[in-house]
Amino acid sequence: MITTFTLPVGQFIFTANFATFFISLIMIFFVAANKIIHKKQLKYFSLAYATLLLCGVFESLVFYYSLKSEPCLEEYFFTAVLYSLWPLSLVSILEIISTTKPVRRTYRIFLYILIFLNSTLNFLSCADKIVFYYTPDNNLSRGVLWFLPLVFVGIYLILMIFNTSWHFKTNIWESIPALFLITVTIISIPLQYCLKQHFLITTSITMALTFYFLAIHIQFFRHDPLTQLHNRKSLFLDLKKLNRENISILTCKIENLDIFIDTSGIEASDLAVLSTVKRMEDSFEKLGRIYRTGTDEIKILFNKKSTDEITAAIDIFQNKMNSTPYSVSCRLELPKKIDQ
């Protein structure tokens, strides 16, 4: 193979995968300046974009050295780093999807053990050709255990699908872009290896992740920033989609919230709201959708739920509130009392 590149290595790296660099850099700054999305999600978005940015750098370096007539140690090292970074970006995305369904500690440890094993195998390939190696004419070939990194990636993708299916039950508009991201990732991996096209995986994941971020960003305009509950706008939109004859609405008002603000400050009132919402989620989340429709008002929408189920949940909620210094009044509107 004859060397065909003429650009300096720094300029070559930047121009070879310009789309990934440009999108990742812009999104890192955009994520850092974002004040709407949950902080935990923002942290993992930043990590995902930083990882994809590094993937772009090392993939460009691999491409740069692949144009040489024979392999070198640098090419092995950069390939091992690249193959180690791709799964790390997927784990960051999995953490984003799992934010509202917390990942258990043992579950998280398992994920990072797989990353460690994957990185170890890739770096061992620099000497023992376990996962990959380069032929004398500088063509990438598969080692004996070439399939293991794909197995690890497959595990991450299965976990993504599992967590997304949980979202599908609670927030379909967040699960659709997540499924799009997973689908793009699944398609881009075999396409890059079958078509032997550089940058396809990194660029595809970066663009799909940006679509997912924007979708979540738009969704947060339908959420209350303090509690992350759906807001009044979401309630009106949901009421339009549902049959009013099957709906019951529970209106809850936190008593004397203005007194907390006057005497103890806004932080005390926020604590009262968050404490109340936590007990509401424990009591009502499986029965209906919760909305914060005012400073001290929270509504719960029940679709096709019996009065006995709702009143039993109200009793559980009020018992939970008895352990707090706060008081909440509740008013239940049954289907026949709702204005048509």
PDB file of all heavy atoms in Angstrom, residues 115-135:
ATOM      1  N   ILE A 115     -16.210  -2.987  30.748  1.00  0.00           N
ATOM      2  CA  ILE A 115     -15.347  -2.000  30.101  1.00  0.00           C
ATOM      3  C   ILE A 115     -13.882  -2.319  30.366  1.00  0.00           C
ATOM      4  O   ILE A 115     -13.034  -2.251  29.462  1.00  0.00           O
ATOM      5  CB  ILE A 115     -15.683  -0.575  30.603  1.00  0.00           C
ATOM      6  CG1 ILE A 115     -17.013  -0.126  30.018  1.00  0.00           C
ATOM      7  CG2 ILE A 115     -14.587   0.412  30.226  1.00  0.00           C
ATOM      8  CD1 ILE A 115     -17.425   1.250  30.459  1.00  0.00           C
ATOM      9  N   PHE A 116     -13.563  -2.670  31.614  1.00  0.00           N
ATOM     10  CA  PHE A 116     -12.183  -3.007  31.976  1.00  0.00           C
ATOM     11  C   PHE A 116     -11.705  -4.232  31.190  1.00  0.00           C
ATOM     12  O   PHE A 116     -10.584  -4.245  30.658  1.00  0.00           O
ATOM     13  CB  PHE A 116     -12.091  -3.258  33.482  1.00  0.00           C
ATOM     14  CG  PHE A 116     -10.739  -3.738  33.932  1.00  0.00           C
ATOM     15  CD1 PHE A 116      -9.684  -2.845  34.055  1.00  0.00           C
ATOM     16  CD2 PHE A 116     -10.529  -5.084  34.227  1.00  0.00           C
ATOM     17  CE1 PHE A 116      -8.427  -3.282  34.456  1.00  0.00           C
ATOM     18  CE2 PHE A 116      -9.279  -5.533  34.635  1.00  0.00           C
ATOM     19  CZ  PHE A 116      -8.227  -4.623  34.751  1.00  0.00           C
ATOM     20  N   LEU A 117     -12.544  -5.284  31.116  1.00  0.00           N
ATOM     21  CA  LEU A 117     -12.174  -6.484  30.370  1.00  0.00           C
ATOM     22  C   LEU A 117     -11.966  -6.181  28.901  1.00  0.00           C
ATOM     23  O   LEU A 117     -11.004  -6.665  28.268  1.00  0.00           O
ATOM     24  CB  LEU A 117     -13.252  -7.556  30.538  1.00  0.00           C
ATOM     25  CG  LEU A 117     -13.377  -8.201  31.926  1.00  0.00           C
ATOM     26  CD1 LEU A 117     -14.572  -9.143  31.962  1.00  0.00           C
ATOM     27  CD2 LEU A 117     -12.101  -8.946  32.285  1.00  0.00           C
ATOM     28  N   ASN A 118     -12.861  -5.363  28.336  1.00  0.00           N
ATOM     29  CA  ASN A 118     -12.745  -4.997  26.928  1.00  0.00           C
ATOM     30  C   ASN A 118     -11.444  -4.239  26.659  1.00  0.00           C
ATOM     31  O   ASN A 118     -10.722  -4.531  25.701  1.00  0.00           O
ATOM     32  CB  ASN A 118     -13.947  -4.144  26.526  1.00  0.00           C
ATOM     33  CG  ASN A 118     -13.873  -3.672  25.088  1.00  0.00           C
ATOM     34  OD1 ASN A 118     -13.865  -4.471  24.163  1.00  0.00           O
ATOM     35  ND2 ASN A 118     -13.796  -2.366  24.897  1.00  0.00           N
ATOM     36  N   SER A 119     -11.133  -3.265  27.516  1.00  0.00           N
ATOM     37  CA  SER A 119      -9.901  -2.489  27.344  1.00  0.00           C
ATOM     38  C   SER A 119      -8.673  -3.370  27.489  1.00  0.00           C
ATOM     39  O   SER A 119      -7.709  -3.243  26.712  1.00  0.00           O
ATOM     40  CB  SER A 119      -9.851  -1.349  28.368  1.00  0.00           C
ATOM     41  OG  SER A 119     -10.956  -0.488  28.222  1.00  0.00           O
ATOM     42  N   THR A 120      -8.695  -4.277  28.462  1.00  0.00           N
ATOM     43  CA  THR A 120      -7.560  -5.176  28.674  1.00  0.00           C
ATOM     44  C   THR A 120      -7.308  -6.040  27.452  1.00  0.00           C
ATOM     45  O   THR A 120      -6.165  -6.181  26.994  1.00  0.00           O
ATOM     46  CB  THR A 120      -7.821  -6.066  29.908  1.00  0.00           C
ATOM     47  OG1 THR A 120      -8.026  -5.243  31.052  1.00  0.00           O
ATOM     48  CG2 THR A 120      -6.638  -6.996  30.157  1.00  0.00           C
ATOM     49  N   LEU A 121      -8.376  -6.622  26.895  1.00  0.00           N
ATOM     50  CA  LEU A 121      -8.229  -7.466  25.715  1.00  0.00           C
ATOM     51  C   LEU A 121      -7.698  -6.674  24.521  1.00  0.00           C
ATOM     52  O   LEU A 121      -6.842  -7.163  23.766  1.00  0.00           O
ATOM     53  CB  LEU A 121      -9.573  -8.107  25.364  1.00  0.00           C
ATOM     54  CG  LEU A 121     -10.095  -9.183  26.324  1.00  0.00           C
ATOM     55  CD1 LEU A 121     -11.517  -9.586  25.952  1.00  0.00           C
ATOM     56  CD2 LEU A 121      -9.173 -10.404  26.291  1.00  0.00           C
ATOM     57  N   ASN A 122      -8.190  -5.455  24.358  1.00  0.00           N
ATOM     58  CA  ASN A 122      -7.747  -4.644  23.227  1.00  0.00           C
ATOM     59  C   ASN A 122      -6.274  -4.269  23.334  1.00  0.00           C
ATOM     60  O   ASN A 122      -5.541  -4.312  22.342  1.00  0.00           O
ATOM     61  CB  ASN A 122      -8.607  -3.376  23.122  1.00  0.00           C
ATOM     62  CG  ASN A 122      -9.972  -3.656  22.538  1.00  0.00           C
ATOM     63  OD1 ASN A 122     -10.107  -4.358  21.548  1.00  0.00           O
ATOM     64  ND2 ASN A 122     -11.012  -3.140  23.174  1.00  0.00           N
ATOM     65  N   PHE A 123      -5.830  -3.898  24.521  1.00  0.00           N
ATOM     66  CA  PHE A 123      -4.426  -3.522  24.678  1.00  0.00           C
ATOM     67  C   PHE A 123      -3.502  -4.740  24.625  1.00  0.00           C
ATOM     68  O   PHE A 123      -2.350  -4.628  24.183  1.00  0.00           O
ATOM     69  CB  PHE A 123      -4.222  -2.739  25.976  1.00  0.00           C
ATOM     70  CG  PHE A 123      -4.632  -1.297  25.859  1.00  0.00           C
ATOM     71  CD1 PHE A 123      -5.850  -0.863  26.358  1.00  0.00           C
ATOM     72  CD2 PHE A 123      -3.813  -0.384  25.212  1.00  0.00           C
ATOM     73  CE1 PHE A 123      -6.232   0.460  26.230  1.00  0.00           C
ATOM     74  CE2 PHE A 123      -4.187   0.949  25.082  1.00  0.00           C
ATOM     75  CZ  PHE A 123      -5.402   1.374  25.592  1.00  0.00           C
ATOM     76  N   LEU A 124      -4.006  -5.910  25.059  1.00  0.00           N
ATOM     77  CA  LEU A 124      -3.208  -7.130  24.903  1.00  0.00           C
ATOM     78  C   LEU A 124      -3.006  -7.483  23.436  1.00  0.00           C
ATOM     79  O   LEU A 124      -2.025  -8.131  23.078  1.00  0.00           O
ATOM     80  CB  LEU A 124      -3.891  -8.296  25.631  1.00  0.00           C
ATOM     81  CG  LEU A 124      -3.791  -8.300  27.165  1.00  0.00           C
ATOM     82  CD1 LEU A 124      -4.616  -9.434  27.742  1.00  0.00           C
ATOM     83  CD2 LEU A 124      -2.336  -8.413  27.613  1.00  0.00           C
ATOM     84  N   SER A 125      -3.951  -7.042  22.597  1.00  0.00           N
ATOM     85  CA  SER A 125      -3.844  -7.313  21.161  1.00  0.00           C
ATOM     86  C   SER A 125      -2.653  -6.605  20.527  1.00  0.00           C
ATOM     87  O   SER A 125      -2.203  -7.005  19.450  1.00  0.00           O
ATOM     88  CB  SER A 125      -5.131  -6.887  20.443  1.00  0.00           C
ATOM     89  OG  SER A 125      -6.221  -7.657  20.890  1.00  0.00           O
ATOM     90  N   CYS A 126      -2.173  -5.553  21.184  1.00  0.00           N
ATOM     91  CA  CYS A 126      -0.991  -4.854  20.657  1.00  0.00           C
ATOM     92  C   CYS A 126       0.211  -5.788  20.589  1.00  0.00           C
ATOM     93  O   CYS A 126       1.103  -5.609  19.754  1.00  0.00           O
ATOM     94  CB  CYS A 126      -0.642  -3.642  21.527  1.00  0.00           C
ATOM     95  SG  CYS A 126      -1.904  -2.354  21.510  1.00  0.00           S
ATOM     96  N   ALA A 127       0.230  -6.823  21.471  1.00  0.00           N
ATOM     97  CA  ALA A 127       1.350  -7.752  21.489  1.00  0.00           C
ATOM     98  C   ALA A 127       0.945  -9.165  21.066  1.00  0.00           C
ATOM     99  O   ALA A 127       1.691  -9.832  20.348  1.00  0.00           O
ATOM    100  CB  ALA A 127       1.968  -7.799  22.889  1.00  0.00           C
ATOM    101  N   ASP A 128      -0.256  -9.599  21.509  1.00  0.00           N
ATOM    102  CA  ASP A 128      -0.637 -11.002  21.308  1.00  0.00           C
ATOM    103  C   ASP A 128      -1.685 -11.221  20.220  1.00  0.00           C
ATOM    104  O   ASP A 128      -2.063 -12.366  19.956  1.00  0.00           O
ATOM    105  CB  ASP A 128      -1.163 -11.583  22.625  1.00  0.00           C
ATOM    106  CG  ASP A 128      -0.086 -11.617  23.704  1.00  0.00           C
ATOM    107  OD1 ASP A 128       1.097 -11.684  23.338  1.00  0.00           O
ATOM    108  OD2 ASP A 128      -0.450 -11.553  24.894  1.00  0.00           O
ATOM    109  N   LYS A 129      -2.198 -10.138  19.623  1.00  0.00           N
ATOM    110  CA  LYS A 129      -3.174 -10.253  18.515  1.00  0.00           C
ATOM    111  C   LYS A 129      -4.418 -11.035  18.919  1.00  0.00           C
ATOM    112  O   LYS A 129      -4.950 -11.843  18.158  1.00  0.00           O
ATOM    113  CB  LYS A 129      -2.518 -10.900  17.292  1.00  0.00           C
ATOM    114  CG  LYS A 129      -1.274 -10.172  16.803  1.00  0.00           C
ATOM    115  CD  LYS A 129      -0.640 -10.869  15.624  1.00  0.00           C
ATOM    116  CE  LYS A 129       0.611 -10.127  15.152  1.00  0.00           C
ATOM    117  NZ  LYS A 129       1.256 -10.786  14.010  1.00  0.00           N
ATOM    118  N   ILE A 130      -4.906 -10.787  20.152  1.00  0.00           N
ATOM    119  CA  ILE A 130      -6.064 -11.541  20.648  1.00  0.00           C
ATOM    120  C   ILE A 130      -7.349 -11.115  19.953  1.00  0.00           C
ATOM    121  O   ILE A 130      -8.131 -11.944  19.488  1.00  0.00           O
ATOM    122  CB  ILE A 130      -6.211 -11.349  22.175  1.00  0.00           C
ATOM    123  CG1 ILE A 130      -4.991 -11.891  22.885  1.00  0.00           C
ATOM    124  CG2 ILE A 130      -7.477 -12.032  22.687  1.00  0.00           C
ATOM    125  CD1 ILE A 130      -5.002 -11.638  24.378  1.00  0.00           C
ATOM    126  N   VAL A 131      -7.594  -9.800  19.898  1.00  0.00           N
ATOM    127  CA  VAL A 131      -8.843  -9.283  19.335  1.00  0.00           C
ATOM    128  C   VAL A 131      -8.646  -8.832  17.887  1.00  0.00           C
ATOM    129  O   VAL A 131      -9.499  -9.066  17.035  1.00  0.00           O
ATOM    130  CB  VAL A 131      -9.371  -8.110  20.194  1.00  0.00           C
ATOM    131  CG1 VAL A 131     -10.632  -7.515  19.576  1.00  0.00           C
ATOM    132  CG2 VAL A 131      -9.654  -8.576  21.612  1.00  0.00           C
ATOM    133  N   PHE A 132      -7.543  -8.183  17.604  1.00  0.00           N
ATOM    134  CA  PHE A 132      -7.278  -7.681  16.251  1.00  0.00           C
ATOM    135  C   PHE A 132      -5.776  -7.683  16.001  1.00  0.00           C
ATOM    136  O   PHE A 132      -4.968  -7.762  16.931  1.00  0.00           O
ATOM    137  CB  PHE A 132      -7.827  -6.256  16.090  1.00  0.00           C
ATOM    138  CG  PHE A 132      -7.105  -5.232  16.916  1.00  0.00           C
ATOM    139  CD1 PHE A 132      -5.998  -4.554  16.412  1.00  0.00           C
ATOM    140  CD2 PHE A 132      -7.502  -4.942  18.220  1.00  0.00           C
ATOM    141  CE1 PHE A 132      -5.308  -3.621  17.173  1.00  0.00           C
ATOM    142  CE2 PHE A 132      -6.827  -4.014  18.990  1.00  0.00           C
ATOM    143  CZ  PHE A 132      -5.727  -3.351  18.461  1.00  0.00           C
ATOM    144  N   TYR A 133      -5.408  -7.595  14.734  1.00  0.00           N
ATOM    145  CA  TYR A 133      -4.008  -7.408  14.353  1.00  0.00           C
ATOM    146  C   TYR A 133      -3.963  -6.851  12.936  1.00  0.00           C
ATOM    147  O   TYR A 133      -4.968  -6.847  12.209  1.00  0.00           O
ATOM    148  CB  TYR A 133      -3.225  -8.716  14.454  1.00  0.00           C
ATOM    149  CG  TYR A 133      -3.639  -9.781  13.470  1.00  0.00           C
ATOM    150  CD1 TYR A 133      -3.000  -9.912  12.227  1.00  0.00           C
ATOM    151  CD2 TYR A 133      -4.676 -10.663  13.766  1.00  0.00           C
ATOM    152  CE1 TYR A 133      -3.374 -10.889  11.325  1.00  0.00           C
ATOM    153  CE2 TYR A 133      -5.062 -11.642  12.880  1.00  0.00           C
ATOM    154  CZ  TYR A 133      -4.406 -11.759  11.658  1.00  0.00           C
ATOM    155  OH  TYR A 133      -4.794 -12.713  10.768  1.00  0.00           O
ATOM    156  N   TYR A 134      -2.815  -6.358  12.564  1.00  0.00           N
ATOM    157  CA  TYR A 134      -2.607  -5.802  11.222  1.00  0.00           C
ATOM    158  C   TYR A 134      -1.685  -6.712  10.440  1.00  0.00           C
ATOM    159  O   TYR A 134      -0.661  -7.189  10.957  1.00  0.00           O
ATOM    160  CB  TYR A 134      -2.016  -4.385  11.303  1.00  0.00           C
ATOM    161  CG  TYR A 134      -3.029  -3.350  11.740  1.00  0.00           C
ATOM    162  CD1 TYR A 134      -3.144  -2.981  13.080  1.00  0.00           C
ATOM    163  CD2 TYR A 134      -3.874  -2.738  10.812  1.00  0.00           C
ATOM    164  CE1 TYR A 134      -4.080  -2.035  13.488  1.00  0.00           C
ATOM    165  CE2 TYR A 134      -4.811  -1.789  11.217  1.00  0.00           C
ATOM    166  CZ  TYR A 134      -4.903  -1.443  12.553  1.00  0.00           C
ATOM    167  OH  TYR A 134      -5.826  -0.510  12.951  1.00  0.00           O
ATOM    168  N   THR A 135      -2.066  -6.966   9.200  1.00  0.00           N
ATOM    169  CA  THR A 135      -1.249  -7.788   8.312  1.00  0.00           C
ATOM    170  C   THR A 135      -0.029  -6.989   7.849  1.00  0.00           C
ATOM    171  O   THR A 135       0.011  -5.763   8.011  1.00  0.00           O
ATOM    172  CB  THR A 135      -2.076  -8.228   7.090  1.00  0.00           C
ATOM    173  OG1 THR A 135      -2.510  -7.056   6.371  1.00  0.00           O
ATOM    174  CG2 THR A 135      -3.300  -9.022   7.526  1.00  0.00           C
TER     175      THR A 135
END
